[in-house]
Amino acid sequence: MSGWSKTKDTCEVWTIDSGQTQLSQSMGRLVFTTEGLGLYEVTTEIRQWVKSLKFKDGLLTLFVRHTSASITIQENADPLVLQDLKKALANIAPENGGWMHDYEGLDDMPAHIKTMLTGVSLQIPVVDGDLDLGTWQGIFLMEHRKAPHRRSMTLHYLGS
């Protein structure tokens, strides 16, 4: 049984009794080529993968397999947001920060810091066969290195 119920006039709760619904899972991998430092919207590619599964409701986990790239959900309407985010991360982890780890260049350690702060995995609900993102939300692969790279992302879907 499913439906809406009101609790204490401040919260709406939606519950679904799945009964005997059997869960399925699927795994995939997407590879993206970046042009260097920046945020790359990957919502379309991920949405296409989810829709190809032809499942209804579940949870999608995304995992970026790198220590100098990350993934985030951010506003996808105003490009100034992305520019400000890049500026903020550059201020938090500048190249001239006196870092000891610089085996691959001055942007090496700042890239690791940015990845630690922004994360390498996301979980996104899937409702009626589509990503349950908000109106202005997009999924972005964040490249924290100046040089172009091939970045690999593992996708795991669990649901009905």
Side-chain angles (χ1 to χ4, degrees), residues 9 29-30 50 56 72 78 95 100 112 128 137 148-149:
D9 295 326
R29 181 160 294 148
L30 294 174
V50 167
K56 186 171 164 74
T72 191
D78 183 355
E95 283 190 19
M100 294 185 295
H112 295 304
D128 290 328
Q137 289 183 319
H149 283 82

Side-chain angles (χ1 to χ4, degrees), residues 57-68:
D57 300 316
L59 185 65
L60 174 66
T61 299
L62 306 172
F63 178 73
V64 176
R65 304 174 64 234
H66 304 279
T67 61
S68 57

Side-chain angles (χ1 to χ4, degrees), residues 137-157:
Q137 289 183 319
I139 305 166
F140 291 87
L141 174 65
M142 301 178 76
E143 175 61 68
H144 301 300
R145 301 299 305 273
K146 288 181 181 176
H149 283 82
R150 286 177 46 87
R151 300 302 191 176
S152 177
M153 182 185 304
T154 301
L155 298 85
H156 177 249
Y157 177 85

Side-chain angles (χ1 to χ4, degrees), residues 102-116:
D102 62 0
Y103 298 129
E104 296 179 23
L106 294 177
D107 67 342
D108 195 4
M109 190 61 213
H112 295 304
I113 294 168
K114 293 170 188 177
T115 298
M116 179 184 68

